[in-house]
Amino acid sequence: MRRADREIKSFGTLLDILRSLPTGHLAMDDEGTPYGVTMNYLAEPGQDGSVVLFFHGAKTCRKADILARNPHVYFFA
């Protein structure tokens, strides 16, 4: 990290920040074409010290099709 004095080291603080934001952006690779969606999400602590993000979505939609082909995503809030 370039600015170590601004690094957030507290897991609780990080989780609080994610929980306070109303939306986030999920970006995926649709066979070489970028596809981004602004979404509501739920952030919860994972069992291994990670953050688990939950997104709403239909079982059959473009987002689900892309994720079935390539589950790697980029999320930013």
Side-chain angles (χ1 to χ4, degrees):
M1 177 160 192
R2 189 172 63 90
R3 293 283 312 262
D5 61 314
R6 294 186 181 207
E7 181 179 3
I8 299 171
K9 296 181 180 180
S10 166
F11 181 79
T13 301
L14 178 63
L15 194 59
D16 288 343
I17 291 169
L18 285 171
R19 286 177 169 171
S20 72
L21 301 171
T23 60
H25 309 280
L26 190 64
M28 300 162 271
D29 180 1
D30 187 9
E31 297 180 348
T33 303
Y35 179 67
V37 184
T38 301
M39 301 186 69
N40 295 343
Y41 66 93
L42 174 67
E44 292 293 328
Q47 293 182 355
D48 59 355
S50 63
V51 175
V52 178
L53 300 175
F54 295 91
F55 301 95
H56 180 287
K59 290 183 180 182
T60 56
C61 63
R62 182 176 179 188
K63 180 178 55 163
D65 293 342
I66 295 169
L67 291 173
R69 288 191 304 268
N70 182 2
H72 300 284
V73 300
Y74 178 76
F75 176 80
F76 55 102

